[in-house]
Amino acid sequence: MALTLLLLCVLLPSATLALPFEQRGFMDFSLDELGGLGMLNDEEGSADVPPELPICPFGCQCHLRVVQCSDLGLTAVPPNIPSDTLLLDLQNNRITELKENDFKGLHNLYALVLLNNKISKVHSKAFAPLKRLQKLYFSKNMLTDFPTGLPSTLVELRIHDNQIKKISEGTFSGLNMNCIEMGGNPLQNSGFEPGAFKGLKLSYLRISEAKLTGIPKDLPDNLHELHLDHNQIQAIELEDLSRYKHLYRLGLGYNHIRMIENGSLAYVPNLRELHLDNNRLSRVPTGLPEMKYLQVVYLHSNNITQVGTNDFCPVGFGMKRAYYNGISLFSNPVNYWEVQPATFRCVNDRLAIQFGNYKK
């Protein structure tokens, strides 16, 4: 069975804003990935389940510890799932609820795919048997609250495009994760209860296409990537970024940002990539020359009317450790021929500057 490669939340710098995970095939996992985890072994698998006693839910396909039950019109999790299953695909069904014993005995399950169902209720102990679960894909359902009792082994959670309006205190307590994608939910700033992220260690967080009017408070302070694009954020105030000293990628494109308070960017000294495109800025944010590691700045599609000689590069030599390899300023009401060449003296290559005349 052909399995396509899963793109994990690999924290590698890139010049593009990370997009929500979208599954295009049966399972976006690779045999190599599972083999590297010591989970996939043909000989061991054939020994675990005697050939004379094949077990597979009715209508599903079972092969190499992968159970595919997608697109079957199921209204509940099917029984008789083999106990040695590593990947369980239940996407594109009509499941409405996860009950306490739905995953009983699946102690080896590594990934659970529940995309595009109608799930609105999850029992608090539904995930209790899943002692090794690392990937949970819960997007495009009808959840109004985050499920409780998430496994402590969970590494990646995709739960975008639901109806979640609130994140309760202690939801992620004790978890150490790489990635949470919760975009496409009607979350407002008031929907984050105090302590909602308490005890969570997290590298990547995306809350896009929500109803945020400002950067949420008390997000995990060890974040490396934070993406809040396609919201209604109006401004970046002085203390908004004070917790996130480890950020190296910040995505704030497609908001309503008019103002970035002086000194705000000083709280993220390790930033490599900054997305402020498609906002309402009238000037280049202050503080960019002091950001020693900043390499990519997206400022296109704003209202910037003037670019100063020292807006990007420090005065003098030896202050900026990393040269820019990408600055976008197109679709702004500023004439590129009026910008002094010295403005981009700390840019790696002239092709890294994306400029052009402004057209309404």
Side-chain angles (χ1 to χ4, degrees):
M1 182 178 297
L3 305 178
T4 54
L5 178 66
L6 169 66
L7 299 177
L8 299 174
C9 295
V10 180
L11 302 178
L12 295 176
S14 69
T16 59
L17 188 62
L19 296 176
F21 172 79
E22 181 178 354
Q23 189 168 18
R24 299 184 182 277
F26 154 49
M27 289 295 292
D28 285 336
F29 293 93
S30 69
L31 294 176
D32 290 339
E33 179 188 359
L34 296 175
L37 293 169
M39 292 183 172
L40 198 58
N41 185 298
D42 290 347
E43 295 181 359
E44 181 184 347
S46 60
D48 289 345
V49 181
E52 66 272 18
L53 293 174
I55 300 175
C56 192
F58 179 77
C60 302
Q61 298 182 39
C62 302
H63 182 64
L64 293 176
R65 303 188 189 181
V66 174
V67 178
Q68 181 191 8
C69 300
S70 61
D71 301 279
L72 296 177
L74 300 174
T75 58
V77 176
N80 301 321
I81 299 171
S83 61
D84 64 346
T85 299
L86 298 179
L87 300 168
L88 176 57
D89 178 18
L90 294 168
Q91 67 180 311
N92 300 328
N93 282 292
R94 300 174 184 173
I95 300 172
T96 59
E97 180 182 356
L98 298 184
K99 301 176 182 178
E100 180 176 1
N101 295 318
D102 278 350
F103 306 112
K104 185 177 181 180
L106 300 182
H107 303 304
N108 294 316
L109 195 66
Y110 167 79
L112 176 59
V113 181
L114 295 163
L115 292 164
N116 197 26
N117 276 277
K118 300 182 181 298
I119 301 171
S120 60
K121 185 177 180 181
V122 180
H123 194 280
S124 60
K125 296 182 179 180
F127 301 122
L130 306 180
K131 305 298 184 182
R132 300 181 66 185
L133 189 71
Q134 293 191 30
K135 300 179 183 295
L136 177 57
Y137 294 157
F138 226 131
S139 302
K140 297 183 179 180
N141 276 280
M142 302 177 68
L143 295 174
T144 56
D145 292 298
F146 259 86
T148 58
L150 294 172
S152 60
T153 54
L154 199 62
V155 172
E156 182 177 345
L157 174 63
R158 308 279 184 168
I159 197 165
H160 58 279
D161 291 334
N162 277 270
Q163 299 298 318
I164 297 172
K165 297 181 179 180
K166 181 182 68 173
I167 303 179
S168 303
E169 179 182 1
T171 297
F172 303 104
S173 180
L175 295 180
N176 186 353
M177 302 180 65
N178 288 337
C179 172
I180 296 179
E181 158 64 68
M182 62 173 76
N185 286 287
L187 270 167
Q188 300 181 7
N189 287 74
S190 59
F192 299 89
E193 291 189 356
F197 295 94
K198 185 178 181 180
L200 171 64
K201 295 181 179 180
L202 181 64
S203 294
Y204 175 105
L205 176 62
R206 185 184 180 98
I207 315 175
S208 62
E209 299 177 275
K211 296 184 177 181
L212 302 178
T213 56
I215 295 178
K217 309 296 184 184
D218 300 327
L219 299 177
D221 58 10
N222 51 3
L223 282 172
H224 291 135
E225 292 198 41
L226 176 60
H227 298 280
L228 302 173
D229 51 286
H230 292 86
N231 277 284
Q232 302 164 22
I233 298 174
Q234 307 285 329
I236 300 176
E237 299 178 353
L238 187 60
E239 299 297 323
D240 283 347
L241 300 173
S242 61
R243 290 172 49 87
Y244 315 119
K245 304 183 187 301
H246 302 289
L247 275 183
Y248 68 70
R249 185 176 293 141
L250 176 60
L252 292 167
Y254 291 91
N255 276 281
H256 303 159
I257 299 173
R258 296 178 181 272
M259 184 272 294
I260 299 178
E261 192 170 355
N262 290 348
S264 299
L265 297 177
Y267 288 111
V268 285
N270 296 309
L271 204 65
R272 267 73 165 171
E273 191 170 317
L274 176 61
H275 295 255
L276 287 166
D277 55 286
N278 291 277
N279 276 284
R280 300 175 183 178
L281 295 172
S282 59
R283 54 173 295 181
V284 176
T286 59
L288 297 184
E290 287 73 42
M291 303 183 74
K292 297 181 179 180
Y293 304 103
L294 189 62
Q295 296 174 288
V296 176
V297 184
Y298 287 173
L299 290 168
H300 56 272
S301 301
N302 276 278
N303 297 320
I304 298 173
T305 58
Q306 184 177 353
V307 178
T309 307
N310 298 318
D311 280 351
F312 295 99
C313 304
V315 178
F317 298 94
M319 295 180 64
K320 188 167 179 59
R321 297 184 182 180
Y323 275 31
Y324 292 101
N325 55 41
I327 295 177
S328 69
L329 284 163
F330 60 88
S331 295
N332 278 290
V334 56
N335 295 322
Y336 65 88
W337 57 83
E338 295 178 356
V339 180
Q340 297 298 316
T343 301
F344 305 112
R345 59 188 177 274
C346 59
V347 177
N348 189 42
D349 187 273
R350 63 184 180 85
L351 296 177
I353 305 168
Q354 300 174 27
F355 223 148
N357 202 9
Y358 175 70
K359 294 182 180 180
K360 291 186 179 181

